[in-house]
Amino acid sequence: MNTVELAPHRIAGLLAPAVDRTFRAGMLAGRDGGGAELSQRYGGVTATGFLVDLRTRLAAPGGTVDGPGFAAITRYQDPVVRRRTVDKQVAHGMIYRGPDGTLSATERGAAFLAELYQVHAEVTEELWAGHDDRVARLVAVLGRLLSYALVLADEEEHPGGSAFTALAPPYEPDGTPSGVLLLNRLGALRHHRADAHAAAWTAAGHTAASIGALPTGPERLAIELETDRRAAGPYATLSTEERLTMLADLAALPG
């Protein structure tokens, strides 16, 4: 077996699309399986949009997301549009924005998030039914990856803020079903890679706008490879077998 291909940076690149696919499948199931209807009861996307994005922090009692963290999470959005969107959600009584830009859920917002967690519990149980062993393995390995990534985050520099540390570790109250644990831990890992990607394109002299317009070619490939390198740290905690098992488990999950 050629273990060079299983190096942490290689696995980081291989796992990224598998993590995206599985996470998106869970979120789509949540939207179609009751999430959209739930949102409408609370005022629609205009009222709930950012709460969904920030759920793994704002669902926690006293949970907040500070200004730099929110800017990192939404780094590809127009700042003016972003602020107006928050203004609307504040007006709907779903989010509270402090004088320094820190966001938290209002009582009504917290009630929405509690119901959203329940929707995600129901849809992921159905979506990944019959895959209990795979889900359990992924939940465990993601827990290890996120714990180590949080340790490493203290050593990393993110001039524009860190989306990962703004939302990790995910809020996991006692009794949280495995499907919700998997969905939210996958989301946190995606933010870890998003920070790595932002650091890579920033180092290459790009902005959020210019990287979006960069065509496929040698420069983009170099940024993607640098992203893999920057995202690789947590995977050093896994054995070769564990890296392969994680990839296989993600590939086998429906969605």
Side-chain angles (χ1 to χ4, degrees), residues 6-7 15 21 46 49 52 54-55 87 110 128 172 178 209 212 246:
L6 304 177
L15 280 170
R21 182 194 69 84
T46 300
V52 177
L54 308 180
R55 69 191 182 284
D87 288 345
W128 296 321
E172 299 175 348
S178 295
M246 182 179 177

Side-chain angles (χ1 to χ4, degrees), residues 31 33 46 83 97 141 189 205:
R31 186 196 69 186
T46 300
R83 180 171 181 83
R97 179 173 52 206
V141 77
L189 190 62

Side-chain angles (χ1 to χ4, degrees), residues 12-13 16 20 24 72-73 75-76 156-164 188-233:
D20 279 352
R24 291 178 188 278
I73 294 162
R75 57 173 58 97
Y76 298 107
E156 297 168 350
E157 294 184 7
H158 295 286
S162 168
F164 175 66
L189 190 62
R190 291 177 77 246
H191 284 302
H192 181 267
R193 183 175 178 85
D195 285 344
H197 186 51
W201 54 250
T202 298
H206 282 280
T207 64
S210 68
I211 191 62
L214 184 66
T216 300
E219 186 179 4
R220 178 169 283 280
L221 176 59
I223 291 171
E224 292 301 325
L225 291 175
E226 177 62 10
T227 299
D228 292 343
R229 187 190 69 78
R230 290 174 180 262

Side-chain angles (χ1 to χ4, degrees), residues 23 27 45 48-59 65 69-70 73-74 77 82 85 89 95 103 112-113 116-117 120 163 166-168 184 187-188 190-191:
F23 173 79
M27 292 301 291
V45 175
T48 65
F50 280 139
L51 276 175
V52 177
D53 297 331
L54 308 180
R55 69 191 182 284
T56 59
R57 178 57 59 84
L58 298 193
V65 172
F70 182 62
I73 294 162
T74 56
Q77 299 183 28
R82 180 175 65 204
T85 301
Q89 291 172 29
I95 286 179
L103 303 179
F112 165 76
L113 290 175
L116 182 63
Y117 263 60
H120 286 167
L167 295 177
N184 290 343
R190 291 177 77 246
H191 284 302

Side-chain angles (χ1 to χ4, degrees), residues 116-132:
L116 182 63
Y117 263 60
Q118 183 58 40
V119 167
H120 286 167
E122 293 169 359
V123 299
T124 55
E125 181 180 17
E126 180 178 354
L127 178 63
W128 296 321
H131 296 271
D132 292 354

